[in-house]
Amino acid sequence: MGLVLYSLEVSPPTRCVRMVLEHLELEYQIHEVNYAAGELQSQEFFALNARRRVPVLKDGEYTIAESRAISCYLCNKYGSGGVSDIYPSDPELRGSVDQQLYVSEAIYDTVQKYLNTKKVLFGEGLPKVEFKDDVIKSIQIYETLLTKQSYLCGDNVTIADVHASSSLFMLQLANFDVMGEFPNTSSWLKKIEALPYYKKCNEKGIAILTKLYQDAVKKNTK
């Protein structure tokens, strides 16, 4: 059966896993979940992930959920683990990557509080501007770190960069100008966008989500 990724194209965590799959040059199938038909609420999907969220990866008989866990699993099983690998096996280098993975999860939550995505899309919500300062503080963490290195964990891209950048790219939903205000972060994000698989994994999903979000904001503002 090989690798099967249960996906929602608009989901940033799903797109992160796709980037890792592409980086590792793995063959995989995509099962695009039918959100409108309630597939996430089905018993079949519950058996895959009791949290009823994407992404989920099946590797033969093995099933794993949570985007960062999936990324680590794929690298552990299929990566080289070398110093320049996307998830190096050296304890100190890997420790730095793991640290930034945890940081990126917290920053993702901060960005989501600001964007208020679920309530914007499925209710009458608007971006919560009271969380903008928290977003700026979060970006400043990366801005400072990137003064001394090209990527979050040194001079090579890692899965930490993949997951961390995803949160910041989401800010474009609300026209938040990361590129203009944070030069080190901007340079780093441009490096991520230049990865050979970035466009394939992200362009369509970002475009769909941006239109959905911005149309919903306009509707909810009336």
Side-chain angles (χ1 to χ4, degrees):
M1 188 176 183
L3 294 165
V4 180
L5 179 66
Y6 287 75
S7 163
L8 279 173
E9 195 158 26
V10 297
S11 160
T14 298
R15 290 188 266 111
C16 288
V17 173
R18 284 196 65 189
M19 288 178 69
V20 175
L21 286 161
E22 292 290 336
H23 183 92
L24 295 171
E25 299 181 341
L26 298 172
E27 293 185 4
Y28 61 99
Q29 299 175 29
I30 292 179
H31 174 93
E32 190 69 11
V33 172
N34 192 333
Y35 186 88
E39 186 176 350
L40 286 178
Q41 304 307 316
S42 69
Q43 286 302 115
E44 290 80 6
F45 195 86
F46 181 80
L48 296 172
N49 183 8
R51 276 168 40 92
R52 300 185 187 277
R53 294 183 179 183
V54 292
V56 174
L57 181 80
K58 284 187 69 67
D59 186 0
E61 296 300 313
Y62 179 65
T63 303
I64 182 171
E66 305 298 332
S67 62
R68 289 165 181 80
I70 295 170
S71 295
C72 292
Y73 166 77
L74 287 169
C75 292
N76 285 331
K77 184 168 183 180
Y78 298 106
S80 70
V83 171
S84 62
D85 190 66
I86 197 170
Y87 193 42
S89 59
D90 174 85
E92 292 184 6
L93 292 174
R94 178 162 289 194
S96 296
V97 176
D98 288 339
Q99 176 182 329
Q100 292 305 323
L101 284 173
Y102 285 114
V103 171
S104 73
E105 189 163 22
I107 290 177
Y108 179 84
D109 290 342
T110 299
V111 169
Q112 286 291 355
K113 285 179 182 178
Y114 169 69
L115 293 174
N116 198 23
T117 309
K118 287 185 177 180
K119 290 187 177 179
V120 168
L121 294 178
F122 303 112
E124 298 180 351
L126 293 169
K128 292 192 172 184
V129 294
E130 63 267 30
F131 291 110
K132 186 172 182 178
D133 284 346
D134 292 335
V135 172
I136 291 172
K137 290 175 184 176
S138 296
I139 300 172
Q140 286 172 338
I141 294 172
Y142 293 145
E143 185 69 11
T144 300
L145 187 60
L146 292 163
T147 59
K148 56 185 178 181
Q149 54 204 37
S150 299
Y151 297 96
L152 296 183
C153 301
D155 293 324
N156 298 297
V157 66
T158 69
I159 57 174
D161 297 286
V162 170
H163 285 273
S165 62
S166 176
S167 299
L168 301 196
F169 284 126
M170 281 193 70
L171 290 169
Q172 69 188 22
L173 298 180
N175 295 314
F176 189 110
D177 185 15
V178 177
M179 296 295 197
E181 298 181 33
F182 304 95
N184 297 326
T185 306
S186 173
S187 177
W188 166 63
L189 291 175
K190 287 176 182 176
K191 291 184 180 75
I192 302 302
E193 287 181 311
L195 292 170
Y197 42 80
Y198 178 84
K199 186 174 180 179
K200 174 182 177 181
C201 297
N202 291 281
E203 186 175 54
K204 185 178 177 182
I206 289 175
I208 294 170
L209 183 57
T210 299
K211 186 176 189 319
L212 288 171
Y213 184 89
Q214 293 183 353
D215 285 351
V217 168
K218 289 177 183 176
K219 175 178 69 69
N220 297 345
T221 304
K222 293 178 181 179

